[in-house]
Amino acid sequence: MAVDYRGSSPVAPLADRFGRVATDLRVSLTDRCNLRCTYCMPAEGLAWQPREQQLTDDEVIRLIRVAVEMLGVKQVRFTGGEPLLRRGLVDIVQSAARLEPRPQLMLTTNGIGLDRLAAPLRAAGLDRVNVSLDTLDAERFHKLTRRDRLADVLRGLAQAAAAGLTPVKINAVLIRGLNDGDAPELLRFALAHGYQLRFIEQMPLDAQHQWDRKSMVTADEILADLEPYGLRADPAPRGTAPAETWLVPGHVDAAGQPARVGVIGSVTKPFCGDCDRTRLTADGQVRDCLFATTESDLRSLLRSGATDSELASAWQTAMRGKRAGHGIDDPSFLQPTRPMSAIGG
Ligand code: SAM
Ligand code: SF4
């Protein structure tokens, strides 16, 4: 039976059986992309989701409203695939910014096209942006992404900062034998521009299912590479943030605060116990975890005429099934069939 919601107070938030409450929603706006990062998808791309299976802008906005107004979601991050390819992005952001209580609005992007879109997105209400950048070397960038677009990404970063989407964060994934020596150079670049750099351990979420632990550069290895910077443990509480952060002595960020660098040890230092995320795919499926092997179909429910309360109730049921952890180290671990680009990172 559907829960009865009154007003905008979340009568029953997105809680799971382990006491975690999801307040951070990741919304994938498309599974399409203009890069082909080797750790994400094959050179030939993927069979993209048919348009009719993708949520329309109105459907996306409705589900975000249900999440924010009825289920206690406080942060919404738009991702993909490449979210800047979604034509309705600016309007979706604008609608989300009008919700009460107003959620924090973020975007994870490869940065291509951000030079044009940063200012309109900021004006629409976007608060912050994470730009993925794994190397500053044009040749290695091409090897990693199979496209020659480094200059576009750098322009996008600069315009994001100019538009006030700050602090601008950079997400970097290191791959052994490809860009595993690039950590110090990436940090030098981030410090010079006032961007916040975060490294993410490579996860078994590639469409090709070729991940193997040996090619993954671990959080400890990354920190060892950054030793010359004399990093110091960050005294600020980590909360539910996935990144462990370090202070970089002698440097400040764009806001004059001590500069920080983060490492997300998703595989070797899982943070599942503190996870506060729920995910909505571009085709309207709720996922309780990046590594979930089951999903809940909100699109069919929505298109069959469900009320907001029924949608909220189905979302809650979906989250109650969340497992305690991703279990990558379990012998029984199964990589999800849906790849990262279709889940939304
Ligand atoms: N296209 C956008 C981008 O690249 O920022 C948004 C989607 S992408 C899937 C989101 C983030 O996931 C990026 O920072 C990307 O580097 C990261 N990512 C993709 N595949 C990954 C993998 N197998 N392991 C770890 N991170 C991955
Ligand atoms: Fe595209 Fe992002 Fe995947 Fe790279 S990581 S292929 S930019 S979706």
Side-chain angles (χ1 to χ4, degrees), residues 163-244:
L165 293 167
T166 48
V168 173
K169 293 191 181 174
I170 295 180
N171 290 355
V173 177
L174 298 181
I175 306 294
R176 201 174 300 290
L178 249 175
N179 63 336
D180 50 348
D182 283 2
E185 171 71 358
L186 283 164
L187 183 52
R188 188 197 58 71
F189 170 80
L191 293 170
H193 291 85
Y195 305 143
Q196 268 184 28
L197 175 63
R198 303 143 24 114
F199 294 94
I200 308 174
E201 278 180 349
Q202 187 195 4
M203 295 177 276
L205 288 169
D206 55 313
Q208 313 88 299
H209 289 224
Q210 279 169 359
W211 178 89
D212 93 278
R213 193 173 279 273
K214 288 190 288 304
S215 69
M216 177 189 68
V217 181
T218 64
D220 287 343
E221 289 177 284
I222 296 166
L223 287 170
D225 267 8
L226 297 179
E227 225 173 74
Y229 284 94
L231 303 185
R232 288 222 217 95
D234 187 347
R238 180 173 173 184
T240 56
E244 232 179 308

Side-chain angles (χ1 to χ4, degrees), residues 5 12 37 70 107 145 163 209 213 224 227 252 283 304 318:
Y5 295 93
C37 303
M70 303 170 84
L107 176 80
T145 66
H209 289 224
R213 193 173 279 273
E227 225 173 74
V252 289
D283 57 344
S304 67

